[in-house]
Amino acid sequence: MSPRGQQAARAVQQQPVQPAQPSVRRPTVQDVAREAGVSPSTVSRALHTRGYASPAVRARVRAAAERIGYVLDHNARNLRSRTSTSIGVLISDLRNPFYADLAAGIEEELRAAEYQMVLVNDNGDPAEEMRAAETLLAMRVPGVIVTPVTAKCPRVLQENGVHVVCADRELGRGNGDVVMSDNKAGARELTDHLLALGHTRIGLLIDETKWSTGAGRLAGFRAAHLDNFVDLDEDLIAYTSFDADAARETTRKLLNDHDVTAIISANNVLAQGALAEIKDRRLKIPRQLSVAAYDDVPWMSLVQPALTTVDQHTVELGRSCARLLLARIRGELPTKRRIVRVPPRLIVRGSTGPAPR
């Protein structure tokens, strides 16, 4: 070895050896049992939703677990039981307040039942939706709540033994239970309100009618005209895309080409675009033009004048989805498919008034 190599070797030998860091041992079920003075099986029953343990024992075991820092290992438990306490939730667009509130209602109900929500935002993309479904299947989730983009996703989940609840929309008749707003009733009540104020030329801004959501709202709009013996001008039904900018352009064309005294937006995103164009034209609401929307979200009560809307009770709709899914998982329901329609509520605010002469 060269002198330089010998010097380097001596330097290495002289450096102090760092002691190995002891591995941190996680508390086990046995540790909790000793701390609480009960058996390990009692700990399992007390900390899990299944199995009986008295309220006093549950409280003692949970206090002991908290003292020693015990955390449930859900992955290990799922591997042992070949099931999961996680529930998949596939949402179309978390930036939209409607879907955020829907997820909040679902999570609230699942947490109360001691299940965990695995939330995926698929951006309304069929490919993303299917990738998310495959991930949830790999996690062995017992159930999924989905705002479906295509009928394929709920069908594939069901074919693999997963319980499915479709939220907000129905795609096909064999794709699991459905929980949604009574869209036809809500749109009919909103249109009735405007017709009663003397409006006979009402524009409808709508983005899609292939899903049950849009189809129901269009059906309610038509039914209100028929019930009130008012002829419906089909040219006043303005189709656009699910985008505020596109809705603004469609509103501009509607106002340029037709004499309307009121506009209904079929959802909150379209309402943003419509309102932007109306404000840009400096039209006085409701004196010159009445404006209303389906799907009440917080900003609608903050603008001036506040918007007349249909409230879908979105958080409750989410809770209903979770309750129905949990009942399915527990085997509490007959096999027949269920469709739950949550009644909407008309909220009249300052944006609607008598039709101008």
Side-chain angles (χ1 to χ4, degrees):
M1 182 181 293
S2 67
R4 182 177 294 180
Q6 291 172 351
Q7 184 179 4
R10 284 195 299 271
V12 169
Q13 291 171 357
Q14 290 170 1
Q15 285 186 356
V17 178
Q18 296 293 331
Q21 294 295 322
S23 60
V24 178
R25 177 179 172 276
R26 291 179 59 181
T28 65
V29 169
Q30 287 74 19
D31 296 329
V32 179
R34 282 192 293 271
E35 179 72 15
V38 296
S39 67
S41 61
T42 300
V43 171
S44 295
R45 290 197 303 273
L47 295 181
H48 300 153
T49 55
R50 296 169 181 82
Y52 176 76
S54 70
V57 170
R58 283 186 188 275
R60 189 163 86 247
V61 169
R62 288 178 180 178
E66 186 174 345
R67 280 196 302 274
I68 67 173
Y70 173 77
V71 178
L72 279 171
D73 188 340
H74 290 285
N75 289 331
R77 182 186 171 205
N78 294 342
L79 287 171
R80 285 194 302 272
S81 64
R82 296 183 180 274
T83 61
S84 173
T85 55
S86 297
I87 299 295
V89 178
L90 299 184
I91 294 293
S92 297
D93 183 5
L94 271 178
R95 295 167 298 179
N96 186 329
F98 169 82
Y99 293 111
D101 284 349
L102 181 74
I106 293 169
E107 193 278 334
E108 183 180 305
E109 200 71 27
L110 292 180
R111 179 162 33 86
E114 299 192 21
Y115 279 80
Q116 295 78 44
M117 177 173 75
V118 179
L119 180 63
V120 182
N121 181 22
D122 59 38
N123 294 307
D125 184 320
E128 289 289 336
E129 184 179 64
M130 283 309 304
R131 278 193 286 272
E134 290 166 4
T135 299
L136 293 172
L137 285 172
M139 293 175 64
R140 294 189 175 127
V141 297
V144 172
I145 297 169
V146 57
T147 56
V149 181
T150 68
K152 183 180 178 181
C153 172
R155 185 178 68 249
V156 168
L157 289 168
Q158 283 191 299
E159 287 171 353
N160 283 274
V162 176
H163 297 287
V164 175
V165 171
C166 293
D168 183 47
R169 61 186 74 122
E170 177 186 14
L171 297 183
R173 298 191 176 278
N175 289 312
D177 299 315
V178 181
V179 179
M180 58 186 174
S181 170
D182 192 337
N183 293 290
K184 183 177 180 179
R188 175 162 27 193
E189 188 175 8
L190 182 57
T191 310
D192 280 341
H193 165 68
L194 289 169
L195 291 170
L197 290 170
H199 297 276
T200 57
R201 293 188 60 77
I202 305 170
L204 174 65
L205 199 62
I206 191 164
D207 61 319
E208 57 79 23
T209 55
K210 70 179 184 297
W211 292 342
S212 59
T213 310
R217 291 172 195 180
L218 178 58
F221 180 72
R222 292 185 186 281
H225 282 79
L226 188 64
D227 293 344
N228 289 277
F229 306 100
V230 175
D231 291 335
L232 172 60
D233 183 349
E234 293 289 332
D235 290 338
L236 301 186
I237 301 174
Y239 297 94
T240 187
S241 59
F242 189 69
D243 176 83
D245 290 334
R248 182 173 187 167
E249 290 295 325
T250 306
T251 304
R252 181 178 300 141
K253 189 174 187 306
L254 177 65
L255 293 173
N256 285 342
D257 296 349
H258 301 283
D259 177 24
V260 296
T261 62
I263 291 179
I264 295 174
S265 296
N267 58 58
N268 68 79
V269 173
L270 305 189
Q272 284 181 267
L275 201 59
E277 177 61 24
I278 292 164
K279 294 287 188 182
D280 193 50
R281 289 173 178 251
R282 299 184 184 278
L283 292 173
K284 291 182 172 55
I285 303 172
R287 187 160 64 84
Q288 292 176 289
L289 182 72
S290 285
V291 181
Y294 204 105
D295 186 16
D296 187 49
V297 294
W299 68 261
M300 292 181 175
S301 62
L302 301 176
V303 296
Q304 290 296 326
L307 286 189
T308 292
T309 62
V310 173
D311 180 9
Q312 299 193 74
H313 303 293
T314 312
V315 174
E316 179 54 36
L317 194 148
R319 293 191 194 107
S320 296
C321 289
R323 284 195 293 265
L324 179 54
L325 184 65
L326 292 173
R328 281 285 180 214
I329 291 169
R330 294 164 180 157
E332 297 169 355
L333 299 174
T335 55
K336 185 179 179 181
R337 177 172 178 255
R338 289 202 171 190
I339 299 178
V340 177
R341 289 185 173 85
V342 178
R345 176 174 64 105
L346 176 65
I347 302 176
V348 177
R349 299 188 179 114
S351 67
T352 51
R357 294 181 180 178

